[in-house]
């Protein structure tokens, strides 16, 4: 039996809350950590739905190449970039510089 989207989203948020300050991870890395490697797009939907949750650092979740693909879901066009830069992560043309250095791999459950 498949789980409800609400339950899946809560599991995504639990992983996202673990992303350390100054680090980022990807939609796919979260999906893989949850044992649902093919559900990166659903992780993206969860991040888009997290805006009323102040304790979910959605700005730290990017695509597998380090692009700020979720930036349009933040108030103001540069808010996602500003939040990342406040944590010491440099972004140029929506691309995280030294992505590998800043990447955080969640624990696989």
């Amino acid at each position: 039996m498949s789980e409800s989207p609400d339950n899946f989203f809560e599991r995504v948020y639990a992983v996202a809350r673990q992303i350390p300050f100054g680090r980022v991870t990807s939609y796919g890395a979260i999906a893989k950590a949850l044992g649902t490697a093919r559900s990166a797009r659903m992780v993206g939907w969860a991040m888009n739905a997290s805006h009323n949750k102040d304790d979910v650092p959605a700005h730290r979740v990017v695509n597998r190449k380090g692009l700020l693909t979720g930036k349009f879901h933040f108030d103001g066009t540069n808010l996602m970039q500003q939040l990342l830069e406040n944590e010491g992560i440099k972004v140029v043309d929506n691309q995280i510089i030294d992505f590998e250095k800043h990447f955080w791999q969640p624990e696989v459950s």
Side-chain angles (χ1 to χ4, degrees), residues 29-95:
I30 291 176
K32 191 181 288 180
L34 294 174
T36 56
R38 300 179 66 84
S39 62
R41 183 164 285 151
M42 276 188 68
V43 172
W45 294 337
M47 289 295 101
N48 294 344
S50 72
H51 294 293
N52 59 350
K53 298 182 181 296
D54 293 338
D55 63 332
V56 177
H59 65 283
R60 296 182 188 149
V61 184
V62 297
N63 85 354
R64 63 189 167 88
K65 295 179 179 168
L67 282 169
L68 310 191
T69 51
K71 77 174 202 154
F72 300 108
H73 299 282
F74 286 81
D75 292 333
T77 51
N78 289 321
L79 181 60
M80 184 177 188
Q81 179 171 334
Q82 289 166 349
L83 290 168
L84 289 169
E85 288 176 342
N86 288 346
E87 297 186 17
I89 297 173
K90 187 172 182 191
V91 178
V92 175
D93 292 331
N94 298 319
Q95 172 73 52

